[in-house]
Amino acid sequence: MDPLQLKKDLQARGADLGANLVGVADLTRDQAWIQEYYGEFCASFPRAVSVAIFFPKQIIQEQADGPTRSYSYFYAAINRQLDTIGFSLSNLLQQQGFRSYPVPTSDYRQTQPATGLQDRIARSGTAGLPKTETELMGMFSHRFAASHAGLGWIGKSCHLINPSVGPRLRLTTVLTDAPLPPDSPIANRCGNCTRCADACPVHAIRGVNFSPADPPEKRIDKVLCNRFLDEIASVFGQHTCAKCLAACPWGQK
Ligand code: SF4
Ligand code: SF4
């Protein structure tokens, strides 16, 4: 099948299944970085299909006043819908004779906490697991794929910021070797804004603009953020905050 037609078919199927955005990222220029962070398997794919579903904005805006169960509920519901889209697009690529891998949607907080897992692995004598299996990170960055596919830019909050809805969306990714025509990334529009950093109760966001050369720790202290989520969970029963999502002016209205 013609690669452009295949891309259109992927976008049409994604839309039929509830996706708001479907783009294609060219990963070839970043293969060394991908290999370093995510390993040889992920680096073997030259393209990523990036899929976004928008959150209802009001559910995010409620987070400005504190956590809600609606947010946690739809966070999980949207993730499951994204997984359904991911494996459907992966199957379509496979039927056309291409390698494809649907990256699980990121919701590690709902599984076993990874904090301290490295210590337990070291004690058990089974060192050597890839860090994607043991640290607070997914097997591949959905935000990286989405930013390269033109769905938005990586903001100071480390979230993917889309011009229409800001960070009020969730993402999934299908890695593939299909020679799909890639989309173009869009420029970072955070400018001098610091609203996400100002809204963070524990000052985890440092207010630094995204640069591909910088590690995420330069922009956000994930330990501080996760400790705060643990504190919320101890009184609310769920790891949830998202004040930085509610604060972003892009697509707020
Ligand atoms: S989720 Fe909450 S604690 Fe974490 S960075 Fe955003 S505002 Fe800060
Ligand atoms: S709140 Fe401002 S600085 Fe933070 S991600 Fe949104 S636009 Fe960028």
Side-chain angles (χ1 to χ4, degrees), residues 135-148:
E135 297 182 5
L136 287 173
M137 61 188 290
M139 71 163 283
F140 191 78
S141 169
H142 299 294
R143 295 171 190 176
F144 175 86
S147 64
H148 280 60

Side-chain angles (χ1 to χ4, degrees), residues 35-51:
Q35 174 140 0
E36 182 187 343
Y37 274 84
Y38 298 107
E40 201 170 326
F41 178 72
C42 289
S44 70
F45 292 97
R47 294 283 187 273
V49 182
S50 178
V51 179

Side-chain angles (χ1 to χ4, degrees), residues 153 155-157 161 189-190 193-196 247-250:
W153 67 92
K156 291 176 186 172
S157 60
I161 313 296
R189 302 182 195 173
C190 280
C193 175
T194 57
R195 288 201 209 175
C196 52
C248 186
W250 282 94

Side-chain angles (χ1 to χ4, degrees), residues 206-249:
R206 305 186 202 278
V208 175
N209 254 321
F210 173 80
S211 165
D214 291 339
E217 302 81 58
K218 188 155 182 189
R219 294 183 299 281
I220 187 164
D221 187 330
K222 285 194 271 186
V223 173
L224 274 182
C225 173
N226 285 322
R227 266 195 214 135
F228 184 66
L229 297 184
D230 287 343
E231 277 177 40
I232 297 235
S234 71
V235 293
F236 187 65
Q238 294 171 348
H239 289 90
T240 175
C241 170
K243 283 180 181 286
C244 46
L245 302 186
C248 186

Side-chain angles (χ1 to χ4, degrees), residues 186-206:
I186 60 177
N188 189 314
R189 302 182 195 173
C190 280
N192 294 325
C193 175
T194 57
R195 288 201 209 175
C196 52
D198 298 342
C200 179
V202 290
H203 309 293
I205 298 170
R206 305 186 202 278

Side-chain angles (χ1 to χ4, degrees), residues 3 7 14 26 85 90 106 158 168 226:
K7 180 178 176 180
D26 179 1
I85 297 170
S90 178
S106 58
C158 287
R168 299 163 192 84
N226 285 322

